[in-house]
Amino acid sequence: MADFARATAWLAGFVLGLPLLGLALMVVALGWRRGWVFSFWFLVLMVLAFVVALIPLAVLRVPTHWIRALIAAVIVYGIALVVPLTHAMARYPIHVLRCGGLPLVATDFAAARSYRLPGDDSYSVTPLDSAIFCTEAEAQAERYHRAPI
């Protein structure tokens, strides 16, 4: 049981601690007024990921605690990349790195097919978002239009 507790502490660091540092940077980049929606959903996603990651953590038999926790975190992150309602939030940090800044966030919810720019007042990432683009040209090529401000 002590081994599982140590591995759980490492898992908390990987699944909760590291993403919270990124969340702090996100709130600084977006400002609290626009960043709180993203922060709320991101925290919900991280807590759910931690709870789900306890399952592979309990099953894995790796002697080193931090490697065991890292494998469990990677498994859960891989799952979050393809599950509806979590894929946009899980892919967002990847797109921030790929685009070299804040990307456009698009949604198909209620057949809107619209996107929001980083400077818009309504800019945020929610579980209902379906696509992320680096440029407006990419979004328009996929037949998305800019959301009314």
Side-chain angles (χ1 to χ4, degrees), residues 53-148:
L54 290 173
I55 297 166
L57 187 72
V59 174
L60 289 170
R61 295 293 170 231
V62 178
T64 309
H65 305 299
W66 71 271
I67 293 175
R68 182 176 164 192
L70 182 62
I71 292 169
V74 168
I75 289 169
V76 170
Y77 188 70
I79 292 169
L81 287 173
V82 296
V83 172
L85 298 178
T86 63
H87 73 280
M89 306 252 341
R91 290 179 181 183
Y92 187 76
I94 295 169
H95 286 283
V96 169
L97 294 174
R98 183 177 73 93
C99 298
L102 299 177
L104 284 74
V105 179
T107 186
D108 286 336
F109 183 70
R113 303 229 10 119
S114 62
Y115 63 87
R116 298 175 304 278
L117 296 171
D120 294 345
D121 287 338
S122 62
Y123 182 81
S124 67
V125 182
T126 67
L128 300 176
D129 294 324
S130 54
I132 299 174
F133 303 102
C134 289
T135 65
E136 283 190 81
E138 289 177 22
Q140 291 169 352
E142 294 292 324
R143 295 195 170 142
Y144 285 90
H145 65 277
R146 185 167 179 184

